[in-house]
């Protein structure tokens, strides 16, 4: 066996050892160094690869690899990765808004975004107008009617969390361009495979990398991609001063997820379409909200901008009691079963689908928004959007679609 020349008796200090010059890893390594060496002061002052790679908070080769890949997919001027999706969202708000500014925001939206707006931005004098997609006959027109002289940003999601409502993306972008107001779109639910907001005319595209991009329910991260290089430079400076950059360890997981993103999203989108069609046909489901169904109220808007309709479904089973019953796994108490009894009786409402928050992973996840993500405990502001008591949010996974449907059928039959 061949060993490195670095042994205990080596004259080379272990603290100064370097990788073999012929090593050329297929996978970008995890650069977990907190600081970097420079041969000359000129190298230190070079843009990007010089000045950014000074200290890990300023820049890191592992995280930069992810930024380059995502920027290529999005077609932007630059991307920045953050420690969470919400960190990415808040960075955009802090870049475009200040005291006295007005924000136009779609509703409903991710509860973390809503809380940041109502709990933090308003504290610093930012005004906000929420527009409920489902209640607006013409969302783009409502946006235009809400514009004020101090409106500095229009913010919306491609697919609303948790109701799956879809705004008129093209119409809203047209209004924004007409009035020269920047637009930021959270495209997490759609994934960058199904929609690239910047190519449609948006100024900022945001994703929680914890979801489809990471894809394995094992990383928390976010990304912002911008159409204008000046915005990238401003966000980069802000990231440097706030310390919100992603760790290289988490960046490596995001990079791994990106390699299979297209394959996963294609399979998940296909599964979701078939699952939504099944749910729509079931007598115990009162409403199904999936952008790929012709019955979806904004189906025409989804078709205009999405390649596929991703893996997020919302469906209503009438009451909160029914919704909670459906997602809970009930295990009969076997404490009194004799030890010699081989028979073990277990009754489950769902066998394959996991009852948990989050979305976009390889496994199917289901949750009750009113209890878990969008209720009074999660959103304290009274302006929180109405969420139907019986609504369930379902993130379709990679499992065999027959198994997914079979699991849902069993659960619904037990209601």
């Amino acid at each position: 066996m061949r060993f490195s020349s670095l042994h205990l008796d080596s004259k080379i200090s272990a603290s100064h050892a370097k990788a073999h010059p012929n090593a050329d890893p297929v996978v970008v390594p995890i650069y977990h160094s907190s600081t970097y060496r420079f041969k000359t002061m000129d190298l230190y002052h070079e843009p990007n690869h010089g000045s950014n790679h000074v200290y890990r908070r300023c820049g890191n080769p592992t995280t930069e690899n992810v930024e380059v890949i995502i920027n290529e997919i999005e077609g932007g001027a630059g991307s920045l990765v953050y420690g969470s999706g919400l960190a990415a969202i808040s960075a955009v708000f802090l870049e475009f808004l200040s005291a006295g500014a007005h924000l136009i925001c779609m509703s409903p939206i991710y509860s973390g975004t809503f809380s940041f707006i109502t709990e933090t931005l308003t504290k610093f004098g930012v005004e906000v107008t929420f527009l409920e997609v489902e209640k607006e006959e013409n969302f783009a027109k409502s946006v235009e009617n809400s514009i004020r002289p101090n409106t500095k940003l229009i913010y919306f999601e491609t697919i609303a969390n948790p109701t799956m409502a879809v705004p008129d993306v093209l119409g809203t972008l047209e209004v924004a361009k007409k009035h020269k107001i920047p637009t930021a779109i959270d495209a997490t639910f759609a994934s960058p495979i199904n929609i690239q907001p910047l190519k449609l005319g948006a100024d900022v595209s945001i994703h929680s990398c914890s979801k489809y991009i990471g894809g394995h329910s094992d990383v928390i991260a976010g990304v912002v991609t911008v159409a204008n290089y000046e915005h990238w430079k401003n966000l980069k400076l802000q990231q440097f001063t706030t310390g919100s950059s992603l760790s290289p360890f988490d960046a490596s997981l995001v990079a791994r997820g990106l390699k299979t993103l297209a394959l996963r999203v294609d399979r998940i989108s296909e599964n979701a379409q078939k699952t939504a069609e099944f749910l729509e046909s079931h007598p115990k489901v009162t409403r199904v909200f999936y952008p790929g169904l012709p019955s979806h109220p904004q189906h025409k808007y989804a078709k205009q901008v999405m390649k596929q309709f991703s893996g997020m479904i919302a469906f209503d089973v009438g009451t909160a009691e029914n919704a909670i019953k459906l997602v809970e796994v009930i295990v009969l108490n076997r404490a009194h079963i004799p030890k010699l009894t081989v028979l073990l009786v277990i009754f489950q409402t769902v066998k394959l689908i996991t009852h948990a928050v989050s979305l976009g992973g390889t496994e199917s996840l289901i949750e009750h928004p009113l209890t878990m993500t969008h209720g009074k405990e999660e959103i304290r502001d009274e302006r929180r959007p109405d969420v139907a008591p019986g609504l369930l949010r379902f993130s379709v996974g990679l499992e065999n679609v027959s198994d997914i449907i079979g699991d849902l059928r069993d659960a619904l039959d037990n209601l």
Side-chain angles (χ1 to χ4, degrees), residues 53 80 96 100 151 162 207 223 253 258 331-332 346 348 385:
H53 295 168
L80 290 169
F96 287 91
T151 301
H207 286 273
V223 63
L253 292 175
L258 282 164
V331 180
L332 296 180
I346 298 178
Q348 294 181 317

Side-chain angles (χ1 to χ4, degrees), residues 3 16 60 82 85 124 131 146 186 193 206 215 278 281 297 302 350 377 415:
F3 293 93
H16 290 86
N60 176 276
Y82 294 82
F124 293 98
L131 297 175
S146 301
D186 182 342
I193 297 301
I206 306 167
F278 159 75
S281 70
V350 288
E377 292 78 11
L415 286 183

Side-chain angles (χ1 to χ4, degrees), residues 171-281:
T172 304
L173 291 175
E174 186 179 342
V175 166
K177 294 295 181 187
K178 174 183 172 182
H179 295 273
K180 299 181 180 179
I181 300 171
T183 49
I185 299 180
D186 182 342
T188 297
F189 271 30
S191 87
I193 297 301
N194 288 329
I195 186 171
Q196 296 91 40
L198 302 186
K199 295 176 183 178
L200 299 175
D203 296 284
V204 182
S205 175
I206 306 167
H207 286 273
S208 169
C209 299
S210 320
K211 312 307 189 290
Y212 288 107
I213 291 176
H216 293 79
S217 302
D218 57 6
V219 63
I220 300 294
V223 63
V224 174
T225 307
V226 293
N228 185 301
Y229 182 59
E230 289 302 312
H231 288 152
W232 182 90
K233 289 198 293 184
N234 292 340
L235 284 164
K236 181 67 178 177
L237 177 60
Q238 181 205 108
Q239 188 180 66
F240 169 69
T241 55
T242 58
S244 56
S245 58
L246 184 66
S247 82
F249 296 94
D250 289 334
S252 70
L253 292 175
V254 175
R256 179 202 60 182
L258 282 164
K259 292 180 181 181
T260 60
L261 177 61
L263 294 171
R264 287 185 288 102
V265 168
D266 284 351
R267 171 65 178 266
I268 286 170
S269 298
E270 182 182 335
N271 281 356
Q273 183 71 37
K274 292 176 181 177
T275 303
E277 290 168 359
F278 159 75
L279 288 168
E280 193 169 47
S281 70

Side-chain angles (χ1 to χ4, degrees), residues 16-39:
H16 290 86
K18 296 182 182 179
H20 194 280
N22 292 331
D24 189 10
V26 172
V27 176
V28 174
I30 300 174
Y31 289 86
H32 57 82
S33 177
S34 63
T35 190
Y36 305 87
R37 61 167 65 91
F38 294 92
K39 293 180 180 179

Side-chain angles (χ1 to χ4, degrees), residues 56-325:
R56 198 171 84 186
R57 175 165 54 86
C58 314
N60 176 276
T62 312
T63 57
E64 189 176 86
N65 171 60
V66 172
E67 292 168 345
V68 169
I69 295 170
I70 294 176
N71 188 59
E72 285 293 316
I73 296 171
E74 295 271 42
S79 296
L80 290 169
V81 287
Y82 294 82
S84 70
L86 190 54
I89 292 165
S90 58
V92 171
F93 286 143
L94 294 175
E95 164 62 16
F96 287 91
L97 302 171
S98 57
H102 176 236
L103 166 69
I104 297 174
C105 185
M106 172 182 124
S107 178
I109 52 172
Y110 167 51
S111 56
T113 306
F114 186 92
S115 293
F116 183 81
I117 293 169
T118 57
E119 302 274 352
T120 303
L121 289 183
T122 55
K123 187 189 299 182
F124 293 98
V126 174
E127 303 167 9
V128 59
T129 297
F130 287 107
L131 297 175
E132 292 195 40
V133 180
E134 293 98 331
K135 296 181 180 179
E136 300 294 340
E137 189 174 333
N138 187 327
F139 182 76
K141 188 65 178 175
S142 297
V143 168
E144 186 163 34
N145 291 340
S146 301
I147 291 173
R148 305 175 189 172
N150 60 334
T151 301
K152 300 299 181 184
L153 183 68
I154 298 170
Y155 181 93
F156 55 102
E157 297 174 343
T158 50
I159 305 173
N161 184 353
T163 64
M164 311 307 148
V166 178
D168 178 3
V169 175
L170 297 182
T172 304
L173 291 175
E174 186 179 342
V175 166
K177 294 295 181 187
K178 174 183 172 182
H179 295 273
K180 299 181 180 179
I181 300 171
T183 49
I185 299 180
D186 182 342
T188 297
F189 271 30
S191 87
I193 297 301
N194 288 329
I195 186 171
Q196 296 91 40
L198 302 186
K199 295 176 183 178
L200 299 175
D203 296 284
V204 182
S205 175
I206 306 167
H207 286 273
S208 169
C209 299
S210 320
K211 312 307 189 290
Y212 288 107
I213 291 176
H216 293 79
S217 302
D218 57 6
V219 63
I220 300 294
V223 63
V224 174
T225 307
V226 293
N228 185 301
Y229 182 59
E230 289 302 312
H231 288 152
W232 182 90
K233 289 198 293 184
N234 292 340
L235 284 164
K236 181 67 178 177
L237 177 60
Q238 181 205 108
Q239 188 180 66
F240 169 69
T241 55
T242 58
S244 56
S245 58
L246 184 66
S247 82
F249 296 94
D250 289 334
S252 70
L253 292 175
V254 175
R256 179 202 60 182
L258 282 164
K259 292 180 181 181
T260 60
L261 177 61
L263 294 171
R264 287 185 288 102
V265 168
D266 284 351
R267 171 65 178 266
I268 286 170
S269 298
E270 182 182 335
N271 281 356
Q273 183 71 37
K274 292 176 181 177
T275 303
E277 290 168 359
F278 159 75
L279 288 168
E280 193 169 47
S281 70
H282 200 284
K284 292 186 180 178
V285 177
T286 59
R287 288 289 304 274
V288 180
F289 301 93
Y290 180 67
L293 292 176
S295 60
H296 189 285
Q298 297 92 32
H299 176 63
K300 67 176 182 179
Y301 296 134
K303 284 200 305 182
Q304 288 175 355
V305 295
M306 293 184 203
K307 173 188 168 188
Q308 301 170 105
F309 305 103
S310 201
M312 297 304 299
I313 303 171
F315 63 100
D316 198 325
V317 289
T319 66
E321 183 184 11
N322 279 346
I324 292 168
K325 241 184 220 179

Side-chain angles (χ1 to χ4, degrees), residues 320 324 367-378 387 389 391:
I324 292 168
E367 65 110 0
H368 183 229
L370 195 61
T371 303
M372 302 175 74
T373 56
H374 287 76
K376 294 179 180 179
E377 292 78 11
E378 291 72 34
V387 177
L391 192 76

Side-chain angles (χ1 to χ4, degrees), residues 114 118-119 130 132 376 379-386:
F114 186 92
T118 57
E119 302 274 352
F130 287 107
E132 292 195 40
K376 294 179 180 179
I379 304 178
R380 299 187 298 177
D381 194 280
E382 293 180 355
R383 291 171 291 180
R384 63 180 170 274
D386 291 330

